[in-house]
Amino acid sequence: MSNGSQPKLLIPALNPIYTALNPLLDPLLRIITGLWLIPHGAQKLFGWNAGPNQPVGFDALSQAFEKYLHLPGVFGPLAALIEFVGGILLVLGLLTRPAATIVFVELLIAFITVHLPNGFFADAHGFEYVLMWTALAGVVAVRGGGRFSVDALIGREF
């Protein structure tokens, strides 16, 4: 495998399938990442499917971030807006790299400040879920919107 050669496939007959599906994987990853972020932002902003003790709206989010996370209150609404608007931008593939980078940073902060101290499992508010979405946002930030994006349509990637 020296000189940049590709590894041999275990089942060479699958190569046409891999080749055909490969261009669809980046857009699929970008769209799913965005679609899964939108409800999380909407839940915080508008109360969509919010639990009885979940803060909803700018004021409640600000108070929760100050009280429970000991962070400036402005970060609560900012996180919700990043998830909601960033998710929409990722689905569209508009300003993909900047949006994905901002989402990546927001999720990385959530990973470190909120979820990491709770251990691995998501059912105990651990980091497994948020770390996966952080990684996905990072991949989208590096790879960009791809050919099925508004960025590609306007001929400009940022």
Side-chain angles (χ1 to χ4, degrees), residues 111 115-131:
F111 163 70
H115 299 279
L116 186 61
N118 296 323
F120 179 76
F121 293 103
D123 62 350
H125 304 288
F127 64 82
E128 69 174 318
Y129 185 75
V130 74
L131 183 58

Side-chain angles (χ1 to χ4, degrees), residues 23-37 90-91 132-133 135-141 143-145:
L24 303 175
L25 296 180
D26 283 342
L28 180 66
L29 179 71
R30 172 182 50 80
I31 291 167
I32 288 175
T33 301
L35 284 174
W36 265 243
L37 280 171
L90 292 182
V91 169
M132 178 187 68
W133 290 109
L136 291 173
V139 169
V140 174
R143 297 191 63 107

Side-chain angles (χ1 to χ4, degrees), residues 86-107:
I88 292 169
L89 290 173
L90 292 182
V91 169
L92 296 173
L94 177 62
L95 302 169
T96 306
R97 290 180 198 271
T101 300
I102 292 167
V103 166
F104 172 81
V105 170
E106 184 257 338
L107 292 172

Side-chain angles (χ1 to χ4, degrees), residues 36-119:
W36 265 243
L37 280 171
I38 293 168
H40 284 278
Q43 184 180 48
K44 293 173 182 76
L45 292 172
F46 313 120
W48 294 355
N49 198 38
N53 297 323
Q54 183 168 345
V56 173
F58 282 17
D59 290 339
L61 288 168
S62 294
Q63 292 170 8
F65 267 61
E66 289 172 355
K67 181 177 181 180
Y68 299 112
L69 301 177
H70 309 291
L71 293 171
V74 69
F75 289 127
L78 183 60
L81 284 169
I82 288 170
E83 291 172 8
F84 186 70
V85 175
I88 292 169
L89 290 173
L90 292 182
V91 169
L92 296 173
L94 177 62
L95 302 169
T96 306
R97 290 180 198 271
T101 300
I102 292 167
V103 166
F104 172 81
V105 170
E106 184 257 338
L107 292 172
L108 185 63
I109 292 168
F111 163 70
I112 293 167
T113 62
V114 178
H115 299 279
L116 186 61
N118 296 323

